[in-house]
Amino acid sequence: PDPARLVALYGLTPAEAAVAAALAGGATAAAVAASRRVGLETVRSQARAALEKTGAANLRALARLLNAG
């Protein structure tokens, strides 16, 4: 998923959108943290915010939502 599209559609911050897109693409939270050079808790916090803003119940539902187009 395109992070810019996620910002426009769901009101995610650019960081939340990047994390959500990476997780929806199959990356682990640890891998996202390492690639973004942030702590694991930061990624978890951004993922929780993305879940809340999109209304997804969990990461699997978020991935389905974001990959649906």
Side-chain angles (χ1 to χ4, degrees), residues 22-50:
L23 294 173
T28 65
V32 173
S35 70
R36 296 182 56 75
R37 295 187 176 139
V38 297
L40 185 56
E41 195 53 42
T42 298
V43 170
R44 289 179 177 153
S45 175
Q46 291 168 334
R48 281 191 298 272

Side-chain angles (χ1 to χ4, degrees), residues 1-68:
D2 175 22
R5 185 168 174 265
L6 301 179
V7 170
L9 285 176
Y10 299 106
L12 302 181
T13 66
E16 291 165 351
V19 167
L23 294 173
T28 65
V32 173
S35 70
R36 296 182 56 75
R37 295 187 176 139
V38 297
L40 185 56
E41 195 53 42
T42 298
V43 170
R44 289 179 177 153
S45 175
Q46 291 168 334
R48 281 191 298 272
L51 290 173
E52 184 176 315
K53 290 178 181 181
T54 61
N58 54 45
L59 289 177
R60 185 171 294 183
L62 179 64
R64 278 194 304 269
L65 177 70
L66 300 183
N67 289 319

